[in-house]
Amino acid sequence: MALKNTFFTAAVLLSGLFCSVSWADDVDDLSAKLRALNTFSAHFEQRLLDDSGAELQKTEGQVKVSNPGRFFWQVEPPFEQTVVTDGEQLWVYDPDMEQVTVYSKQQLASTPAQLLSGDFAELAKTYAITASMNKDALTYRMAPKDEQTSNFAGLEFIFDKKDRLEGMILEDKLGQRTVVTFSKRQLNKPVDASIFSFKPPAGTDVIHSGS
């Protein structure tokens, strides 16, 4: 499944890594930190880099997460796009194309959105996870154990000293990276549940992936 060049088309790779902890502890620690994000709202900046590190695209927008399983990601113009999941389906809406693609819960299970929004049942089985720390940040790198079925080559979650999620990096199979930085973060504040449902505007083509 290709979620286009977006949806926090995402990447993770970084950064002065000076110490690491055991694999089992890494899984537990990352799960605990993400589970603690009952709700998460932020402004994001997203940079798409090619395999040489050159910037191909820069976008920004808003993200909202509510556990379990609900996720909203909106990219501002000129590259406008909205990604929404209620935990059962995921909608990718491209206004310029007047098109929305709908993905099933099974397809959603392998995406970074589902990890961020609280689905950890298969975390240790699906990913090899290592944690690295420097004086400013704690980074968890996730490498899929089965590269044939995974949609990405590597994913990182980056936390600040106060255990607040401050960034993500996602690396695709072509070596491109999407680097996401969060600002204006709000943790565990009320989020309107209606934002996690999507009704296509009149005249929008609806495509069901895999059907």
Side-chain angles (χ1 to χ4, degrees):
M1 173 178 79
L3 293 187
K4 190 182 171 182
N5 190 3
T6 92
F7 153 44
F8 75 65
T9 60
V12 201
L13 240 152
L14 235 83
S15 66
L17 311 178
F18 299 125
C19 69
S20 59
V21 295
S22 71
W23 181 83
D25 287 343
D26 292 347
V27 174
D28 294 341
D29 289 347
L30 177 58
S31 296
K33 285 182 171 60
L34 294 178
R35 285 186 186 279
L37 299 176
N38 295 315
T39 66
F40 176 77
S41 301
H43 179 85
F44 69 82
E45 179 183 279
Q46 176 176 282
R47 299 168 59 233
L48 178 64
L49 311 177
D50 67 16
D51 56 1
S52 69
E55 185 173 288
L56 301 176
Q57 187 184 86
K58 183 177 179 180
T59 58
E60 57 184 298
Q62 302 294 322
V63 59
K64 296 181 184 294
V65 176
S66 179
N67 285 327
R70 295 179 292 178
F71 181 89
F72 173 88
W73 183 271
Q74 187 167 59
V75 181
E76 298 173 357
F79 303 104
E80 188 174 2
Q81 186 183 57
T82 301
V83 180
V84 180
T85 177
D86 59 3
E88 296 296 326
Q89 290 183 308
L90 182 143
W91 298 268
V92 179
Y93 173 53
D94 293 290
D96 58 337
M97 300 175 63
E98 297 185 327
Q99 175 180 299
V100 60
T101 304
V102 184
Y103 298 92
S104 69
K105 184 175 183 178
Q106 289 71 29
Q107 292 170 310
L108 174 60
S110 62
T111 65
Q114 192 69 353
L115 293 174
L116 184 59
S117 56
D119 188 355
F120 304 104
E122 300 297 312
L123 192 63
K125 296 179 182 178
T126 308
Y127 300 97
I129 301 175
T130 55
S132 302
M133 183 182 297
N134 64 19
K135 63 180 180 180
D136 297 316
L138 176 62
T139 300
Y140 293 88
R141 178 166 177 83
M142 304 174 60
K145 293 181 178 180
D146 186 349
E147 296 183 359
Q148 299 301 316
T149 59
S150 175
N151 297 312
F152 54 94
L155 173 67
E156 291 182 12
F157 290 98
I158 304 163
F159 292 83
D160 66 15
K161 293 179 180 179
K162 296 182 179 180
D163 285 342
R164 299 175 301 183
L165 184 64
E166 68 176 12
M168 301 172 58
I169 305 173
L170 184 147
E171 183 178 357
D172 69 20
K173 294 181 179 180
L174 298 177
Q176 291 186 341
R177 293 179 295 145
T178 303
V179 180
V180 180
T181 303
F182 297 117
S183 62
K184 300 179 181 178
R185 294 166 293 176
Q186 294 187 354
L187 280 64
N188 300 327
K189 300 290 181 67
V191 174
D192 184 354
S194 66
I195 201 171
F196 303 110
S197 61
F198 183 82
K199 182 178 181 179
T204 301
D205 290 332
V206 179
I207 300 171
H208 290 270
S209 176
S211 63

